[in-house]
Amino acid sequence: MPAAVAVAASLSTPAPGASAGMRGRRRVNFAVASLRRAASGGGSSWRSERRLMSELERTVTAGAAERVIRSYVASKSERAALAALSRLLMDSDPFAIPVRVPDFLVISCDFASRIWVDFSLQFYEAVTQARWFKWSSIHAAAVAALLESNGSAEESRSLISDSISRLESSTSEGEVALFYCDLMAAFSSRGMRDRAMDFYSQLRATPLSGAKTYTAMIKSLCLMGLAGEAEAALMEMVSHGHHPEAFQFGLVAKCYGKAGSMVEMERVISSMSDAGIRLGTGAANIVLSCYTSCRDHSRMLAWLRKMRKLRIAPTTKAYNFVLNSCPTVSSMAQELGPLLPLSTAELVKKLRSASPWPAEAELVQELLTSCSVLDKAMDWSESEVKLNLHGFSTIAAYVLILQWVDAMKARRAFPLEVSVVCGIGKHSDVRGEPKVRELAQEVLSRMGSPLRLSMRNKGRLVAKRDRVKQWLATDWSSLVDEKSTDQSPNGDNQQTFLLTLMRKLGQVLSPFLQFSKGKA
């Protein structure tokens, strides 16, 4: 496999002309951030990546594929190229970014997987030759795991050995320990737990220094589900005079929570105060995330009430993971059935009557008592009031829209224009149509909202003040109830059908009418 050999050589070689200090981890923060962002599903380059995959699937020879890849890297910015590389290297499933095999080729899954590996390695080889390339241990670890998981164990071990030798000769021992942590994370993410444990043994045989090394080790152990070992590393970190932050405690507590060890999770959370960590917004969010990892609604409810007493307002992140952990609300937002609640009061009422989780309704009610998230998402100026749904999951966006409409109903004066910014799905972790925009359009449409998709911005719903005031003065919830309870096959159903048809037709024609008025 010649591509792998070339990549292994280039991977273990830092950027030409870089000094020893510059070859260290301080110079690769951007690359690491890009890799972490892609691994978590974020990033805004997936459309260009999909076009890249479409071009690659049409190639017939290795030379043609190489030209496509080199052209892509040469034409894209450093950020876009590293985001594409990160996604390629971190995907544990070789078909995570769909690559359609041409119909005239009948190949096995193993061969298709090998094609994917070749594309990934060729892409990295092209990146290493870019003028902005900086060597990164996290990229080296990812490629080593990719090679070994696809049968190139010898090349993987050679790459690791060369990288360690160069790190030992040009950087501090701490960089070698950090490389072992990256190897643990990369190999465990591909299901090679035994190899990851081998690197853990080698890490323990390496002198450890610095809080950064301990943090990386704790994170890698938590990724592997080794909560006990991660807690021992946390205690060792303290014994060596380092002061861990809420983030490290949260990692260990969340690892226990995911394993169902609630007693240990609570113990680690309690030890945060013993370590002198003040309960601020960040620490409160971390504790809340620990409870959401095991969907313990009663403890989440108690913690939200404690936050309210301490005057710690929930953040957007807290809003997201609390609502994402509510199964009934999630089901409503995903299915968008005919009985979908169209107000916060209806939502809480339905949860109390239909949710099999007793604390779910109270949890949502408690979250709605705080307006901090809505106030931050809503921008009110003299010319426009805007609800910004960027950063919200579809489930959280659904609840926030209901909360926003309630707040709008309480207002008497409005600016000239009202808009809801949904985005077009660039930062979504689900590829395809923008899910938040689809949800916002559907929910607002069922309410009879006059907000329509802007002709100038496909990620924005907009309406004029007068139409919004007229809409907010109506009661659409009663119409939904009548529609859902009326089972007669006669005139009422036909009238409802005609009204729905006319409303849908108006939604389709509205942008064209606005465009024609503007042109006139």
Side-chain angles (χ1 to χ4, degrees):
M1 189 174 171
V5 177
V7 170
S10 60
L11 268 170
S12 58
T13 306
S19 63
M22 293 171 68
R23 281 192 286 257
R25 204 176 183 86
R26 290 186 297 273
R27 286 296 306 275
V28 297
N29 289 337
F30 179 79
V32 171
S34 174
L35 192 59
R36 299 300 187 202
R37 183 172 60 254
S40 64
S44 60
S45 62
W46 68 266
R47 282 187 173 83
S48 62
E49 293 164 23
R50 188 165 59 179
R51 286 194 293 270
L52 170 66
M53 293 300 105
S54 297
E55 290 184 42
L56 287 174
E57 74 181 27
R58 292 193 295 268
T59 60
V60 178
T61 65
E66 184 179 357
R67 285 192 295 273
V68 170
I69 289 172
R70 291 190 179 279
S71 174
Y72 182 90
V73 173
S75 62
K76 298 297 179 182
S77 64
E78 177 182 359
R79 179 183 295 274
L82 286 176
L85 170 65
S86 300
R87 198 182 298 278
L88 287 168
L89 293 179
M90 289 298 287
D91 281 327
S92 57
D93 180 3
F95 298 102
I97 300 178
V99 180
R100 182 179 58 82
V101 179
D103 296 335
F104 58 84
L105 287 180
V106 180
I107 59 177
S108 67
C109 290
D110 290 340
F111 186 62
S113 177
R114 176 59 62 184
I115 291 175
W116 176 266
V117 173
D118 287 341
F119 286 164
S120 303
L121 295 174
Q122 287 178 26
F123 194 96
Y124 186 82
E125 187 176 8
V127 167
T128 59
Q129 296 176 8
R131 56 180 177 78
W132 41 258
F133 172 72
K134 304 177 187 70
W135 185 84
S136 165
S137 70
I138 196 169
H139 282 131
V143 171
L146 177 67
L147 287 169
E148 185 153 337
S149 66
N150 286 275
S152 300
E154 185 177 347
E155 293 166 4
S156 174
R157 293 171 194 271
S158 175
L159 165 59
I160 294 169
S161 177
D162 290 346
S163 298
I164 291 174
S165 298
R166 290 181 179 275
L167 285 171
E168 288 175 340
S169 63
S170 60
T171 58
S172 65
E173 290 178 343
E175 298 297 334
V176 177
L178 288 169
F179 183 50
Y180 280 130
C181 293
D182 289 334
L183 287 168
M184 288 167 57
F187 276 77
S188 62
S189 68
R190 292 187 178 275
M192 293 178 284
R193 187 182 177 86
D194 292 341
R195 287 288 288 137
M197 291 305 297
D198 290 341
F199 294 124
Y200 179 54
S201 300
Q202 292 174 281
L203 173 64
R204 298 307 301 177
T206 304
L208 302 181
S209 61
K212 185 187 290 186
T213 304
Y214 279 103
T215 299
M217 179 168 63
I218 292 167
K219 190 171 185 178
S220 298
L221 289 169
C222 289
L223 286 172
M224 296 168 63
L226 301 175
E229 288 80 354
E231 186 180 5
L234 182 63
M235 296 301 102
E236 183 181 333
M237 179 181 180
V238 175
S239 66
H240 281 74
H242 303 296
H243 299 285
E245 299 177 354
F247 172 72
Q248 287 91 342
F249 282 94
L251 284 173
V252 178
K254 199 169 184 178
C255 190
Y256 274 125
K258 286 182 177 179
S261 304
M262 298 300 298
V263 176
E264 286 78 4
M265 186 185 83
E266 296 254 337
R267 177 173 49 76
V268 174
I269 290 173
S270 300
S271 66
M272 290 173 61
S273 58
D274 299 335
I277 296 175
R278 186 179 66 85
L279 187 62
T281 302
N285 280 348
I286 286 172
V287 174
L288 199 57
S289 70
C290 292
Y291 290 133
T292 59
S293 66
C294 50
R295 288 189 175 181
D296 193 326
H297 296 135
S298 58
R299 283 186 170 88
M300 277 189 275
L301 177 60
W303 189 255
L304 280 174
R305 287 173 175 170
K306 182 177 181 179
M307 289 172 62
R308 180 155 54 89
K309 288 181 180 179
L310 296 173
R311 296 184 179 180
I312 301 174
T315 62
T316 300
K317 186 180 292 185
Y319 200 88
N320 274 329
F321 51 60
V322 168
L323 289 171
N324 289 347
S325 67
C326 295
T328 310
V329 182
S330 302
S331 177
M332 291 177 184
Q334 291 167 4
E335 294 176 4
L336 296 176
L339 302 180
L340 182 73
L342 297 179
S343 70
T344 55
E346 288 181 18
L347 174 63
V348 174
K349 181 180 178 181
K350 186 164 186 177
L351 288 175
R352 284 174 177 162
S353 62
S355 175
W357 290 269
E360 186 175 5
E362 298 303 320
L363 179 62
V364 173
Q365 180 68 65
E366 180 65 31
L367 194 64
L368 291 172
T369 57
S370 173
C371 294
S372 60
V373 175
L374 177 62
D375 291 341
K376 187 176 180 181
M378 186 166 55
D379 183 15
W380 199 286
S381 66
E382 293 182 0
S383 60
E384 180 188 23
V385 56
K386 178 172 60 178
L387 177 67
N388 193 340
L389 298 179
H390 280 108
F392 291 91
S393 67
T394 53
I395 301 156
Y398 161 62
V399 178
L400 188 68
I401 289 172
L402 302 186
Q403 195 176 6
W404 175 70
V405 172
D406 287 348
M408 292 287 285
K409 279 187 171 184
R411 297 269 185 171
R412 293 187 177 181
F414 294 96
L416 293 174
E417 197 169 71
V418 177
S419 65
V420 175
V421 180
C422 315
I424 56 175
K426 281 186 176 181
H427 302 280
S428 174
D429 58 355
V430 179
R431 300 175 188 178
E433 292 299 319
K435 299 299 180 183
V436 172
R437 189 183 73 181
E438 285 184 351
L439 179 135
Q441 284 182 290
E442 180 64 24
V443 172
L444 290 170
S445 172
R446 292 193 188 188
M447 292 179 177
S449 162
L451 281 86
R452 300 290 180 266
L453 202 62
S454 170
M455 292 294 292
R456 296 181 179 179
N457 185 347
K458 295 300 183 183
R460 181 171 174 260
L461 305 175
V462 63
K464 296 299 182 183
R465 173 179 57 193
D466 294 340
R467 297 192 66 192
V468 171
K469 289 179 69 175
Q470 183 181 4
W471 163 58
L472 292 173
T474 62
D475 182 13
W476 55 82
S477 59
S478 60
L479 296 176
V480 174
D481 290 340
E482 290 172 7
K483 179 182 176 181
S484 61
T485 54
D486 184 13
Q487 302 296 329
S488 65
N490 298 321
D492 290 342
N493 267 354
Q494 293 177 8
Q495 186 179 6
T496 303
F497 171 75
L498 288 174
L499 288 172
T500 304
L501 181 63
M502 293 298 292
R503 178 169 54 82
K504 293 288 185 182
L505 185 61
Q507 291 174 12
V508 173
L509 295 178
S510 177
F512 297 99
L513 293 175
Q514 292 177 9
F515 178 74
S516 62
K517 287 180 182 179
K519 197 170 182 181

